[in-house]
Amino acid sequence: MHRSSDLIRVLLGVLALGVVFFLASIARQTTSGLESDIVRGAQNSTPHLLLNLSGGVFAVAVLVVPVAYGIERLVSRDGLRVADGVIAAAVTYLASLGLDWWITGPGPEALRDALTRPLPLPRSGWTDPVHGYLAPIVAYVTAVGLVRRPRWQLVVWTLLLLNAATVLVGGYTTPVALLTSVLFGRTIAYATLYAVGLPNTRPPAESVVAALRRFGLVALSCVRTDDGPEETRRYAVRLADERLLDVTVLDRDQQASGAIYRFYRRLVLRGVTQRRTVLSTRRALEQESLMAYACADAGVRAPRLVATTEVGPDAALLAYAHVPGRTLDTLDDDELTDELLARLWELLGLLQAHRLTHRRLVAESILVDGTGQPWLVDLRAGEIASSDLALRIDTAQLLTTIALRVGEERAVHTAAEVLGADTVAACLPLLQKVALSRSTRSVLRKDKNLLSRIREQILELRPQAEVEPVRLERVRARTLVTVVASAFAGYFLLSQLSHVDLGEIFNSANWGWAAIGLLASSLSYVCAALMLLGFVPERLSLFRTTMVQLAGSFVKLVAPPAVSGVALNTRYLQKAGIPPTLAAASVGVSQLGGLVFHVGLLAFFGYIAGTAETPSFAPSGAVIAGLLVLALLILLVMAVPPLRRWIVKQLRQLFSGIVPRLLDVLQTPTKLAAGLGGTVLLTLSFILCLDASVRAFGGSANFAAIAVVFLAGNAIGSAAPTPGGIGAVEAALIAGLTSTARLPFETATAAVLLYRFLTFWLPVLPGWLAFAHLQRKQAI
């Protein structure tokens, strides 16, 4: 049995190791001071002989006790757990050797300083970053399972703690190395347990029968049936008095199933996720029991809860009176009558009248008996005293579930007849995928327009209904990526700038070149306007179009550059009277032209830069390697059918709107010349600005190399999720100037900061003024 809880512990262990390594790298002085205080204070107050004696005793004991426990387990015929422990210890030892090599070799120097220290005299060398014996022992005692043996657990962990203390006081390790050893050992142990698997300790059918007998329920048979949601185990039980029971068994492993997904939903959404613990079987039992009793009190048709009890230390069962019938997903289409749909909506109305929510109204959770009456099953996720938002989500979920079977028109009209048009219209802002169950979202991938069609049906009943979706996402994935990327980029830049004396460099700068850079940056907005105007057959004002490009420098503060420019230009063309489809096509043509010239210039200047170091006019090895890598990537992508189909589909959609617009432009040579000229001049103006910024600080580099650095850095900045490519552009340009243009790091850093100030930060205020002016003129 591969337990989900072990996998979760592995992921948490990897995350904890990452946090420890990160903090150790940036807080070396703090850890070094703490380590020195501990060693100095303990060595001054503890005799050297006693320190060595205690260290030897604990080192022996910490090996003997786990071996003794292993022998005890073998005598008790629990050899599989001992084998798991030995495998985990062996894997941990090998992995620790690899980690030691990485930390002391190619790893970051700050991490090496935090995890190692010089060995005490008279020995020479350095301590191990990960202890070759402490980490395997931790892995062993974790894998053999000491949780149910509290005495052994107390002895082993006490010895481990004392041994770690003596090693630390003796100067043979660091606090961060000790913490890393413990985390590393436990992580490898849980990874081994998940990979190897454990004997199935879930209660079998015999245990279920024995538990029911405590309630006087004598079972004649107990048969495993299909699992419920989230791998809930179910049994069909026939009692001696011929009654039938449906038994649901909960256990710790089942509770851990899907825990990462539930945690993610709780993190990024609000008002949607179930408030239940991840691993507590007892809490899950109480929640489902409470929901069952609440439904019975409200008169909601749900199976009657007959018995609840624990089955062993990590499992519990709920026994329900059997209701013969079939779930909604197994009914034929002709059985889904309007009368049955009306009864479903009446059942939902009864739930909501008592402020109860089911939270999983999918077809598998609705049972229809022989008389055509619907019943609600799978009450595990239900809640009492629910909020209005939760009630509306239930309505939206059931509406979608029914629409998937009978169509949106019947679903909406039957709901309006029973619940009222206003109640149905109230769920309109909640008809979004993020509010629905996981299984429903997967089905909607095949019918992506169903929710839109449901909204249209509701608006026919209530045209004045609120349409704006309710904000359910607390943290969007794009926002999370942006925050993480910005933090990483900021940390990278600050760590690099801490080694640079920028004050001295800026004092010796040639500000004449900076003025040339400012002029080149200013001309870029005129070039961008020409680039857009050249691909728009309609006549537009050059001055106003230039102001739109200037306003884009303000918009870039809140969105990635590749997104902000497209959105602003499309909006501007629409306000200028160009139809939306043609406006989008025009911007698409200009973007496509920019992309083609960008790639062409990158290849051209890369070729020139590559030949600058060679005796003949031939491409360098780096250029050839880059072309080969690019060719291999293209072949790899085209060899994967899903990727190939996706690319073909995207290109077809792109050219279906762009080609007709491009043909219109080709009929006007002056427009085409303006567009192509503006595209080339826009790139050259930015290259000139970067080159002037380099020369302002005494740097000198080949113009082709500067062009390659700009083109590559601009591509990275456009792909970066941060607004304006903050962090990514700076890092890429600094790396490019130091590696490709062979500039000193200090000069490259100062030049990039000046370039970004001239092209990104300085135009923000004029861009905001232009943006406000264009808004007042209703031009955007």
Side-chain angles (χ1 to χ4, degrees):
M1 181 179 66
H2 303 277
R3 301 187 305 183
S4 301
S5 56
D6 291 335
L7 181 58
I8 293 174
R9 292 187 179 101
V10 172
L11 297 177
L12 292 177
V14 172
L15 178 62
L17 284 171
V19 171
V20 170
F21 288 169
F22 176 74
L23 295 179
S25 300
I26 64 176
R28 174 57 191 142
Q29 293 183 352
T30 302
T31 57
S32 177
L34 177 63
E35 169 192 327
S36 301
D37 293 341
I38 293 175
V39 173
R40 190 183 304 111
Q43 289 182 347
N44 292 337
S45 59
T46 305
H48 188 70
L49 178 61
L50 178 61
L51 197 61
N52 290 338
L53 180 62
S54 61
V57 170
F58 292 139
V60 173
V62 83
L63 293 174
V64 170
V65 174
V67 172
Y69 178 76
I71 295 174
E72 190 268 342
R73 286 291 86 201
L74 289 174
V75 173
S76 302
R77 297 183 178 181
D78 193 13
L80 288 177
R81 299 303 298 268
V82 178
D84 291 338
V86 173
I87 293 174
V91 172
T92 303
Y93 179 74
L94 295 176
S96 64
L97 293 179
L99 187 60
D100 287 347
W101 169 84
W102 179 74
I103 292 176
T104 57
E109 184 178 351
L111 188 60
R112 182 170 63 251
D113 294 340
L115 291 172
T116 62
R117 59 165 298 165
L119 287 169
L121 296 175
R123 301 180 63 183
S124 61
W126 298 85
T127 61
D128 293 332
V130 179
H131 284 276
Y133 74 92
L134 181 60
I137 292 175
V138 171
Y140 172 84
V141 299
T142 301
V144 296
L146 293 178
V147 177
R148 297 189 179 94
R149 309 299 295 274
R151 294 182 180 179
W152 283 99
Q153 186 179 16
L154 177 63
V155 172
V156 171
W157 284 106
T158 300
L159 289 174
L160 285 173
L161 179 62
L162 293 174
N163 179 261
T166 55
V167 172
L168 177 62
V169 170
Y172 293 95
T173 188
T174 66
V176 180
L178 288 174
L179 182 58
T180 300
S181 301
V182 174
L183 291 175
F184 191 69
R186 290 181 66 84
T187 302
I188 297 296
Y190 287 122
T192 303
L193 291 177
Y194 184 77
V196 175
L198 293 174
N200 193 342
T201 58
R202 292 174 175 175
E206 291 80 2
S207 300
V208 174
V209 170
L212 292 175
R213 191 176 294 117
R214 293 198 294 266
F215 289 88
L217 303 173
V218 180
L220 294 179
S221 65
C222 182
V223 181
R224 180 79 176 268
T225 61
D226 294 336
D227 290 347
E230 299 180 1
E231 301 180 0
T232 305
R233 289 183 296 129
R234 289 172 170 174
Y235 293 89
V237 178
R238 180 179 294 276
L239 301 179
D241 56 5
E242 296 301 322
R243 285 187 297 165
L244 299 178
L245 297 180
D246 294 324
V247 177
T248 299
V249 178
L250 310 177
D251 55 60
R252 184 178 299 274
D253 298 319
Q254 179 273 328
Q255 282 294 100
S257 177
I260 298 177
Y261 174 76
R262 292 197 297 269
F263 175 77
Y264 168 76
R265 292 274 289 178
R266 177 173 292 188
L267 178 67
V268 302
L269 304 179
R270 50 187 177 190
V272 179
T273 55
Q274 294 83 14
R275 301 184 185 91
R276 61 183 176 120
T277 54
V278 175
L279 299 176
S280 174
T281 305
R282 182 71 185 181
R283 289 292 300 276
L285 175 68
E286 293 172 351
Q287 179 177 353
E288 185 169 350
S289 301
L290 177 61
M291 187 63 187
Y293 291 135
C295 287
D297 182 70
V300 176
R301 282 187 298 276
R304 182 174 60 89
L305 185 61
V306 177
T308 60
T309 183
E310 293 184 345
V311 188
D314 296 325
L317 66 80
L318 299 98
Y320 291 94
H322 176 68
V323 177
R326 292 181 296 162
T327 55
L328 193 66
D329 59 316
T330 61
L331 296 180
D332 296 332
D333 292 341
D334 56 356
E335 296 179 278
L336 298 173
T337 62
D338 289 347
E339 183 181 1
L340 174 59
L341 300 182
R343 290 173 180 173
L344 274 175
W345 291 116
E346 290 172 357
L347 201 59
L348 178 66
L350 193 58
L351 271 176
Q352 298 191 346
H354 292 81
R355 311 295 296 184
L356 303 176
T357 50
H358 187 279
R359 305 304 294 266
R360 197 178 180 275
L361 288 172
V362 295
E364 296 85 356
S365 300
I366 301 171
L367 188 71
V368 180
D369 61 18
T371 63
Q373 293 291 344
W375 296 67
L376 296 181
V377 295
D378 298 335
L379 304 176
R380 292 187 58 209
E383 292 181 357
I384 64 170
S386 302
S387 64
D388 291 336
L389 179 63
L391 297 177
R392 294 160 65 192
I393 290 176
D394 251 16
T395 305
Q397 174 64 64
L398 184 58
L399 194 62
T400 307
T401 298
I402 295 177
L404 285 170
R405 287 303 316 271
V406 303
E408 60 278 359
E409 184 176 357
R410 285 184 63 192
V412 172
H413 283 80
T414 54
E417 290 176 0
V418 177
L419 301 179
D422 292 335
T423 302
V424 178
C427 79
L428 185 60
L430 279 306
L431 282 170
Q432 41 185 313
K433 288 184 180 180
V434 71
L436 305 178
S437 67
R438 191 175 189 177
S439 59
T440 303
R441 295 200 304 273
S442 63
V443 175
L444 287 176
R445 295 193 187 111
K446 303 177 183 178
D447 191 356
K448 299 180 179 180
N449 297 322
L450 178 63
L451 295 181
S452 299
R453 298 197 302 269
I454 295 175
R455 296 188 194 100
E456 293 173 359
Q457 290 293 327
I458 295 176
L459 289 175
E460 288 183 5
L461 297 176
R462 284 291 183 272
Q464 72 279 9
E466 182 182 356
V467 182
E468 187 69 22
V470 172
R471 174 72 183 277
L472 296 174
E473 292 176 294
R474 181 181 288 113
V475 180
R476 294 179 177 175
R478 182 180 300 175
T479 304
L480 187 62
V481 171
T482 300
V483 171
V484 173
S486 300
F488 177 80
Y491 169 72
F492 173 80
L493 289 176
L494 290 177
S495 63
Q496 297 297 324
L497 292 177
S498 62
H499 304 290
V500 180
D501 188 3
L502 293 178
E504 181 179 352
I505 295 176
F506 274 92
N507 288 334
S508 60
N510 185 341
W511 296 109
W513 281 109
I516 296 176
L518 176 60
L519 178 62
S521 175
S522 302
L523 289 176
S524 67
Y525 298 102
V526 180
C527 298
L530 289 174
M531 173 181 168
L532 179 62
L533 292 176
F535 295 106
V536 179
E538 292 80 5
R539 295 182 60 86
L540 296 172
S541 169
L542 175 62
F543 176 75
R544 176 163 288 187
T545 307
T546 304
M547 290 191 64
V548 172
Q549 308 314 307
L550 183 60
S553 61
F554 168 69
V555 179
K556 283 192 295 186
L557 280 177
V558 294
V563 177
S564 59
V566 172
L568 186 63
N569 286 329
T570 304
R571 178 72 172 174
Y572 165 63
L573 295 181
Q574 291 179 11
K575 285 290 187 177
I578 300 175
T581 54
L582 296 180
S586 296
V587 176
V589 171
S590 65
Q591 293 293 314
L592 180 62
L595 175 62
V596 171
F597 272 89
H598 191 99
V599 174
L601 290 174
L602 181 60
F604 173 75
F605 284 117
Y607 187 90
I608 298 300
T611 58
E613 309 267 339
T614 58
S616 63
F617 198 75
S620 66
V623 174
I624 296 175
L627 293 176
L628 289 176
V629 171
L630 180 61
L632 289 175
L633 288 175
I634 294 175
L635 290 176
L636 179 62
V637 170
M638 299 308 294
V640 180
L643 287 177
R644 184 175 64 249
R645 287 193 295 267
W646 182 81
I647 291 176
V648 171
K649 179 182 178 181
Q650 298 301 318
L651 290 176
R652 185 181 294 115
Q653 293 177 351
L654 176 66
F655 285 101
S656 63
I658 287 180
V659 171
R661 196 62 167 170
L662 184 59
L663 294 176
D664 294 338
V665 174
L666 291 176
Q667 297 177 7
T668 310
T670 55
K671 283 280 187 179
L672 183 61
L676 298 180
T679 302
V680 175
L681 291 176
L682 175 63
T683 302
L684 291 178
S685 63
F686 282 120
I687 297 175
L688 288 173
C689 182
L690 181 59
D691 184 69
S693 300
V694 171
R695 296 180 184 278
F697 297 100
S700 178
N702 185 284
F703 184 80
I706 296 290
V708 170
V709 170
F710 163 76
L711 293 168
N714 187 63
I716 294 175
S718 299
T722 55
I726 297 176
V729 173
E730 287 83 353
L733 292 179
I734 292 174
L737 290 177
T738 54
S739 60
T740 304
R742 307 293 177 85
L743 292 177
F745 179 78
E746 294 80 2
T747 304
T749 303
V752 169
L753 292 180
L754 176 60
Y755 166 77
R756 288 291 279 172
F757 174 76
L758 295 176
T759 59
F760 182 76
W761 295 109
L762 185 61
V764 169
L765 180 58
W768 174 74
L769 295 175
F771 186 83
H773 172 75
L774 292 171
Q775 278 193 322
R776 286 196 302 270
K777 298 295 184 178
Q778 296 185 351
I780 56 175

